[in-house]
Amino acid sequence: MFKEVLEEIIYKNDLSQISCPPLSGLKLKTIRKTDMTYKRPELVKAGNDIEKEVVKAFEKVFDKEIGIYDDFIQLGGDSLDAVKIKFLLKGQVDAGIILKEKTPYRIAQCITKKGL
């Protein structure tokens, strides 16, 4: 139950509900997604319904046209984005798989194998 509530809070980007001890003396550098440079591969459209569903979730999160070989991390994705994609895919795949497999093509393959 706790995990589902935490994922819902993260998905809504409402981190004010989470209390953390102060990180005194720790300096953190924030890297904005727009700071990252990434030479995207040629845009390849989704070939089947599962790939289309994964690409659609990526496009919603990243607000741009996505091909099946675009890399989640190189697009600027992080763990919060992975949780959002998990919710958009209705839990068909865990956020950890999104972080590991990285491309809509490979994520779609995992969903296909899971469904067998």
Side-chain angles (χ1 to χ4, degrees):
M1 177 67 181
F2 175 76
K3 180 181 175 189
E4 289 81 15
V5 171
L6 182 59
E7 286 178 340
E8 184 69 24
I9 290 169
I10 292 170
Y11 176 70
K12 291 179 179 177
N13 281 332
D14 186 9
L15 301 180
S16 64
Q17 296 182 38
I18 302 172
S19 62
C20 298
L23 301 172
S24 60
L26 183 62
K27 294 182 182 180
L28 301 175
K29 180 181 178 190
T30 302
I31 300 173
R32 292 176 296 168
K33 291 179 185 180
T34 55
D35 292 340
M36 301 175 74
T37 58
Y38 168 51
K39 185 175 187 241
R40 293 177 68 188
E42 182 179 330
L43 186 76
V44 177
K45 299 279 187 183
N48 62 50
D49 289 340
I50 295 173
E51 288 175 1
K52 288 176 184 174
E53 191 176 348
V54 176
V55 166
K56 184 178 175 183
F58 268 61
E59 289 176 339
K60 185 164 179 126
V61 169
F62 294 111
D63 195 29
K64 64 172 75 174
E65 189 174 24
I66 299 291
I68 61 171
Y69 298 117
D70 279 319
D71 185 286
F72 175 81
I73 302 298
Q74 296 298 320
L75 289 166
D78 57 26
S79 58
L80 294 176
D81 294 325
V83 171
K84 289 177 185 179
I85 290 172
K86 173 188 172 180
F87 273 91
L88 290 169
L89 294 174
K90 298 175 179 76
Q92 294 180 72
V93 66
D94 288 331
I97 296 295
I98 296 165
L99 292 166
K100 179 183 175 196
E101 299 300 335
K102 297 181 180 90
T103 66
Y105 175 77
R106 294 196 48 173
I107 294 165
Q109 285 183 324
C110 289
I111 293 170
T112 302
K113 287 178 185 176
K114 183 178 175 184
L116 295 178

